[in-house]
Amino acid sequence: MGQALAVCVQDSDDLALSGVWHRGQRLSDVVAGADVIVDFSLPEATAEVLECATDLSIPVVCGVSGLDENQVSALGRAASVIPLLFDRNMSLCIAVLQRSVASAAASLGRDFSAEIFEVHHVHKKDAPSGTALKLGEAIAAAQGETGTGGVDFSFERRGEVPGDHTVTLRSGTEKLVFSHSVTTRLVFADGALRAARW
């Protein structure tokens, strides 16, 4: 994602890249001149990013997927001190899909089961993906459940697929299918930079 962010920043008229954090570097040195930190690192690095951002009072846009409960709690604590936007998927269409499946699940009720199938590249470590969980949580909440309720997840890892998600709401007599496909990882960088501008 770092390369995708760099490309999007280079192509913009109103943004400049302050620095890119690599292993072995001091994060505080990299972000010293930054107006906002955009974090697409790994879950293991999130605590360090949040600590640095709160110490330096720099806003954060976090798109890290695969965070555990403690790491998500740390985001909440940081958000009480600095401006922070967290989303497991920065795609605008996924935001629309999330609202759409929640609306459909609320309208159809518990008589319809929910299934989410996702495909990602072979390097993807978390399964189900953060996006699949986000969609499942939206469906469950719309049906009055907590977490992901009774949502069934399945996944596949192959090639270099940036991300495909299919949500199926099914009864004994009919089904409703929603799908979203990413053609380039630039969509996540674009969404993150929209958030950074905001």
Side-chain angles (χ1 to χ4, degrees), residues 106-137:
S107 297
L108 297 173
R110 294 183 186 182
D111 291 339
F112 280 71
S113 64
E115 306 157 14
I116 299 175
F117 173 66
E118 48 112 342
V119 180
H120 279 91
H121 53 84
V122 295
H123 315 288
K124 181 90 170 141
K125 294 183 180 183
D126 54 322
S129 69
T131 302
L133 292 172
K134 168 184 174 146
L135 295 170
E137 289 163 1

Side-chain angles (χ1 to χ4, degrees), residues 87-160:
D87 204 321
R88 293 172 280 198
N89 188 311
M90 296 286 173
S91 159
L92 295 176
C93 286
I94 285 292
V96 172
L97 178 61
Q98 180 182 0
R99 285 193 298 270
S100 299
V101 299
S103 176
S107 297
L108 297 173
R110 294 183 186 182
D111 291 339
F112 280 71
S113 64
E115 306 157 14
I116 299 175
F117 173 66
E118 48 112 342
V119 180
H120 279 91
H121 53 84
V122 295
H123 315 288
K124 181 90 170 141
K125 294 183 180 183
D126 54 322
S129 69
T131 302
L133 292 172
K134 168 184 174 146
L135 295 170
E137 289 163 1
I139 292 167
Q143 293 181 336
E145 301 284 341
T146 57
T148 56
V151 178
D152 291 324
F153 295 93
S154 58
F155 60 90
E156 184 179 333
R157 299 291 180 256
R158 65 177 148 84
E160 296 299 325

Side-chain angles (χ1 to χ4, degrees), residues 5-33:
L5 283 166
V7 167
C8 288
V9 168
Q10 183 179 353
D11 291 344
S12 73
D13 295 332
D14 62 334
L15 298 172
L17 188 61
S18 177
V20 178
W21 185 36
H22 298 283
R23 289 174 203 214
Q25 290 180 297
R26 287 186 52 192
L27 181 57
S28 58
D29 293 341
V30 175
V31 301

